[in-house]
Amino acid sequence: MEPFRLLHPDLVPRHRESLQHAASVLVRMGLDDTVLSASPVHRRLARVVLASSGVVEWEPAPGDFGDDPRLDVVRVGGDRGGVLLSSVLIGYLDVLCNATRMGTSIGEDAWRTLLWAPTALFDHVLRRPQVGMTVVTPGAGTDHLPYERAQAGQRLHLALVQAARFAVSGVVRAQEDRPLVEDCVTLATACLRAATVALVFAGDVRGGQAVPVVETAEHRYLWQVLGAVRVAVPRARFEQFAAALRRLGEVHTTSPLLVAGG
């Protein structure tokens, strides 16, 4: 299987417009967030297509900034919007595949929290009205795939934290546009909550050994701009965002921690 491609941290887009073309292309191809509710066969095909360079253009990023050989994660450049969106979708498709084959003990509310983020991301980028989401049940498989689970959960976690960084950049950048700021912080909060569930999913293995969690440049960025977010958004929205970030930190501290380069 090809490596899991994440954007180089310095290339994460800061403007919604940077993702709109890629999102529109994916919608026309039927490869947006709605693909997550497709049949397992369709999801497997979608994963192959999304990972191909024919759909999303990518190129090697300079150096090995943030590469993680344990998870087969490589940092890339290229079509920034396409890489960011496809990494989120591929991460979800892998988690759904593993959950179907292996089952999960994650509760219904947490599962809904996990699956809300991709819809929120596409709603934000395309300025779609929020009309709800389709919840995909995880399945009740009995296969024992602990390595695949840890890999899928942590990869999705990393992709969602990168999506949260994109959203928070909008908060910091667009302080004069109050509706956009609130939309951005709402998306960031949804991505952080989902990233936390993804991390829990990665360790949802009976008798499994905890897999070290990687701290990345995206994680550090979110803590660094916390003060700017506090100033930019209404108190209630900030408290929701801060609570989601703290909860993510709590899950990190209960797991072995590795620090990635940069």
Side-chain angles (χ1 to χ4, degrees):
M1 184 177 292
E2 294 186 358
F4 186 77
R5 301 184 186 98
L6 280 179
L7 276 177
H8 187 288
D10 293 343
L11 301 179
V12 176
R14 294 184 295 171
H15 304 271
R16 172 163 53 187
E17 293 74 17
S18 301
L19 277 70
Q20 285 177 344
H21 175 71
S24 297
V25 170
L26 292 174
V27 168
R28 289 197 299 270
M29 297 180 67
L31 296 173
D32 59 336
D33 56 300
T34 60
V35 76
L36 303 181
S37 60
S39 69
V41 172
H42 191 169
R43 293 201 301 261
R44 286 195 294 271
L45 177 60
R47 201 242 187 252
V48 172
V49 175
L50 284 167
S52 72
S53 58
V55 174
V56 177
E57 295 182 2
W58 61 274
E59 59 190 26
D64 60 353
F65 193 109
D67 287 0
D68 187 350
R70 300 173 314 116
L71 301 175
D72 203 13
V73 170
V74 295
R75 297 286 188 157
V76 301
D79 176 2
R80 300 184 187 188
V83 172
L84 190 150
L85 292 172
S86 64
S87 66
V88 170
L89 291 171
I90 290 171
Y92 271 99
L93 290 168
D94 288 348
V95 162
L96 289 174
C97 178
N98 181 270
T100 298
R101 297 182 62 187
M102 195 173 169
T104 179
S105 65
I106 291 176
E108 181 179 347
D109 288 345
W111 192 252
R112 290 180 64 88
T113 296
L114 179 67
L115 290 178
W116 169 243
T119 298
L121 177 59
F122 274 87
D123 284 351
H124 171 79
V125 171
L126 296 173
R127 306 187 186 194
R128 299 187 311 199
Q130 295 183 359
V131 295
M133 57 177 283
T134 300
V135 176
V136 184
T137 55
T142 58
D143 291 352
H144 186 62
L145 304 166
Y147 173 76
E148 290 81 357
R149 165 143 305 182
Q151 185 181 64
Q154 287 213 35
R155 284 174 165 183
L156 178 57
H157 164 78
L158 293 174
L160 286 167
V161 171
Q162 186 162 94
R165 173 173 179 164
F166 154 70
V168 168
S169 296
V171 174
V172 176
R173 178 185 57 82
Q175 294 189 23
E176 301 303 320
D177 187 339
R178 303 300 296 178
L180 177 57
V181 164
E182 292 200 27
D183 194 25
C184 287
V185 76
T186 299
L187 172 60
T189 302
C191 289
L192 288 176
R193 289 170 175 168
T196 301
V197 179
L199 205 53
V200 173
F201 178 85
D204 183 30
V205 181
R206 292 182 182 177
Q209 185 175 2
V211 177
V213 177
V214 175
E215 182 188 66
T216 65
E218 286 87 350
H219 291 94
R220 294 191 288 276
Y221 172 85
L222 293 172
W223 285 105
Q224 289 166 2
V225 299
L226 190 60
V229 175
R230 184 195 302 270
V231 172
V233 304
R235 179 176 178 179
R237 294 295 179 90
F238 171 76
E239 289 178 350
Q240 292 171 353
F241 170 80
L245 187 57
R246 285 195 302 270
R247 176 57 183 154
L248 181 62
E250 290 169 359
V251 174
H252 267 203
T253 58
T254 59
S255 305
L257 182 65
L258 295 178
V259 179

